Amino acid sequence: MMWNPGDIVRVTQKTGEYITEVLENHDSKLLVKVLAVTKFPTQGDLHTSFEVDVPLFHQRPALSYQEKFMCPSNAVMRYNGTIPEYKESVRIAMEREMEKLKKMSLWAQRCLVELEAMHKETFTK
């Protein structure tokens, strides 16, 4: 697809997702600027997922308002919705990520309870 300056597109950048405006088209790459955040970046060490005892547990903020970056032109999708206000979009994306992690934590705790019960049943008779 051919992208033109001024097109509004959704882009995944590292582990976050953003609503951006195309500034320049360089054939296989686009220069875009951030307008809003749709998915907050993943925290921690990406090479050792779900590990907390790592040399550096990364804290990743969202890209800044109007921050510019290059992305592959084939990795963007047209965005036709309303563009939310940047700071509000960050708050919503961050809270969505926090809620996802809380649910995952509750799910992991419940799995552990069930596995401990099965382990006790299986190996203590």
Side-chain angles (χ1 to χ4, degrees):
M1 175 168 248
M2 184 65 173
W3 301 105
N4 298 306
D7 287 345
I8 305 300
V9 295
R10 200 171 74 219
V11 179
T12 298
Q13 173 66 0
K14 299 188 179 174
T15 63
E17 185 178 87
Y18 304 88
I19 299 169
T20 65
E21 178 183 346
V22 175
L23 298 176
E24 298 172 4
N25 187 331
H26 298 272
D27 295 322
S28 64
K29 292 194 177 238
L30 300 175
L31 177 65
V32 297
K33 74 174 175 181
V34 173
L35 302 176
V37 180
T38 56
K39 182 191 177 297
F40 203 82
T42 303
Q43 305 303 298
D45 183 350
L46 300 179
H47 302 291
T48 53
S49 298
F50 305 111
E51 293 291 328
V52 294
D53 292 329
V54 293
L56 180 59
F57 194 92
H58 298 271
Q59 183 184 67
R60 290 185 181 79
L63 295 178
S64 302
Y65 180 62
Q66 296 193 341
E67 184 170 340
K68 296 167 183 71
F69 64 93
M70 297 293 285
C71 65
S73 57
N74 63 358
V76 303
M77 296 172 41
R78 185 166 307 283
Y79 182 80
N80 294 317
T82 303
I83 301 169
E85 187 270 328
Y86 174 79
K87 192 166 186 176
E88 180 67 5
S89 75
V90 172
R91 184 187 66 75
I92 290 169
M94 185 183 289
E95 288 175 357
R96 188 180 304 128
E97 184 71 7
M98 290 165 59
E99 187 60 33
K100 182 181 91 174
L101 291 170
K102 287 175 188 172
K103 283 184 178 181
M104 184 189 264
S105 176
L106 292 172
W107 173 81
Q109 289 172 9
R110 177 65 189 268
C111 287
L112 186 56
V113 166
E114 298 303 327
L115 286 169
E116 287 170 342
M118 284 191 289
H119 186 272
K120 184 177 177 182
E121 244 178 58
T122 305
F123 297 107
T124 57
K125 289 186 176 184

